[in-house]
Amino acid sequence: MPSSPGASPLAQRDFRLLFGGSGISAIGDQFTLVALPWLVLKLTGSPAALGLVLATMALPRAAFMLIGGAVVDRLSPRRVLLAARAVNALLVSLLAALVLGGAIHMGLVYALALGIGLATAFAYPAGSAMLPQLVAPAQLRAANALFMAMRQLSMLVGPALAGLLISVGAHGRHGNVADATGLGLAFAVDALSFVCSLVSLVLIRIHGDHHPRTPEGGVLANVVAGIRAAWADLPLRAFVLYAAVVSVFVGGPIQVGLPMLADTRLDLGAASLGILMTANGGGMLVGSMLSGLAAKLVRNRLGLMVLGIDSLAGLALAALAFDHSTLAGAALLATTGVLGGIVQVTIVSWIQHRVALEMMGRTMSLLMFTFMGLGPLSAAIAGSLLKVVSLPALFAGAGLMLTAIALTCMASPALRSIGMSSRAPAAAG
C-alpha cells in the first residue's frame, strides 16, 4: 500500500525497488545507446545505415505505443513492464553474444533493433502507469522528480562509462567487427542491468496484480476508448494538442539543428555537441529538483506556468541563431533544460493525479506518442528545411514560433484551468 502523503516516496518499499531497478537499467541503456551507433559505423561506415537502424527502433516504438498503453490497462502494468524488460534483456544479450562471437551482421542488427523498439513501446506506458499505484497522489510530484533526476544522472554518467569501456576493448576484433571486445562488453553491461531491473520487478506487488480489471472488448477498441476518454476531458485534450503542436515545431529543429550548430559554427566540433547536451541534461536535473518549489509558488495555476515557461524557452531557443560560442550555447541549453525539467515533472504529475488508474496506461501512451511519434516527423521536416533556409533562420523561426504559440494559448480557458487539484470524472471503457 502507498505510504502516507507526507512521507518521502523513498519510504515506500515497492517504490524503492522500482526506483533502484529502473536507475540501474537507465544507466545500462546508455551503454547500448553509445555502442549501437558505433557498431553500425564499424560494420558499414555509413551514416545512412545508422539513420536506418535508429528509424527501425523509433518507428515501431511510436506505432505501437498506443497499443502498449491499452495492453497495460488490460493487464497489470508491473507484469507488462516485466515482460517488456525480459524481452529487452534477451535481445541485448543476444546482441552481445553475436558481437563477441564475431557472428554479427547488419541483417541481425536491423532485426534486433526492431525487437528492442517494439518492446520499448510497451515498457514506457507500463512504467508511467505503475507509479501511481506505488505512492499516494500527493507524492506523485516528488516521485516523478526523483525519476527525472535519476534519468538525467544516467545520461550524464552512462555515456562516459560506456565510452571508457568501449575504448578499453578498442583493439579487440571478432569476425568483421573492429572494437568488438569493448562493444560486446557494453551490450553485456546493458543486459546485466536489465536482469537487475527484472529482479526488482519480481519483488514488487501492486494493487493491479491482485485486483485485475476485466477486459472489455478488444485491444483496438480499448485504444479507441482511451482516445475518446482523453478527448472528452477538455483540459487534458487541450494539453495533448498543445504538446503535439510544440513537438512538431520545436522537436525537429533541436534534434537536427544542434549537431549542425556544433559542426558548422562552434569552436570544439563534436566536443561542443557533447557539452551542449550535457548542459541541457544538467539543466533538466536542476529543473526537476525545483519543480516542487515552482508548483508551490504558482499554486493551482500550472497551465499558466507551463505556457509562461514555454514562452521563455522559445526566446532562449531563438537566441541560438546568434550563437558562435560553446559556452554561450551551453548557457542557453542549460536554461531551457531547467525550464523543461520543471514543466515535465509538473505536467506528468498532474496527469497521473487526474486520470483514473484504469485509463492510466492509455493516457500516458497518448502523451508519449505526441513526442515519440511526431518527433521523427518533425526532424525530417527540419532536415528538409535546412536545404532552403539557414541554420540561424531555423532556430529563430522555431523559437519564436514556440513563444507565439505559448502566448496565444494563454487565451485558452482549458489550458489556463490546468491545476493539481483538478481531477476528471471517471471514464468507462
Side-chain angles (χ1 to χ4, degrees), residues 273-310:
L273 178 60
I275 292 170
L276 293 180
M277 300 305 294
T278 299
N280 186 251
M284 292 194 75
L285 174 61
V286 173
S288 68
M289 293 188 289
L290 293 176
S291 61
L293 175 62
K296 290 179 180 178
L297 290 175
V298 301
R299 296 184 180 274
N300 210 31
R301 298 177 179 269
L302 294 183
L304 286 175
M305 181 194 77
V306 169
L307 296 172
I309 282 177
D310 280 354

Side-chain angles (χ1 to χ4, degrees), residues 1 3 18 27 91 99 103 119 146 149 153 190 216 233 245 250 271 313 349-350 360 363-364 414 420 424:
M1 293 295 292
S3 55
L18 180 64
I27 293 175
L91 294 175
V99 171
L146 285 170
L153 282 174
D190 191 17
E216 299 177 5
D233 183 346
V245 172
V250 178
S349 301
W350 170 70
M360 192 67 67
T363 303
M364 297 308 299
M420 284 303 294

Side-chain angles (χ1 to χ4, degrees), residues 13-14 17-18 78 82 130 196-206 209:
R13 168 189 174 274
D14 287 338
L17 286 170
L18 180 64
R78 184 191 71 88
L82 186 64
M130 188 173 169
C196 294
S197 177
L198 291 174
V199 172
S200 71
L201 288 170
V202 167
L203 296 174
I204 292 172
R205 292 294 179 268
I206 63 174
D209 287 337

Side-chain angles (χ1 to χ4, degrees), residues 321-383:
F322 307 100
D323 183 34
H324 291 275
S325 162
T326 300
L327 183 61
L332 289 171
L333 267 296
T335 300
T336 60
V338 171
L339 298 175
I342 293 173
V343 166
Q344 285 192 31
V345 170
T346 53
I347 283 297
V348 169
S349 301
W350 170 70
I351 292 174
Q352 290 172 335
H353 182 265
R354 180 178 183 81
V355 175
L357 289 178
E358 61 267 20
M359 300 296 295
M360 192 67 67
R362 282 167 282 184
T363 303
M364 297 308 299
S365 68
L366 182 61
L367 181 65
M368 293 174 185
F369 177 79
T370 62
F371 296 104
M372 296 182 182
L374 298 177
L377 173 63
S378 177
I381 294 173

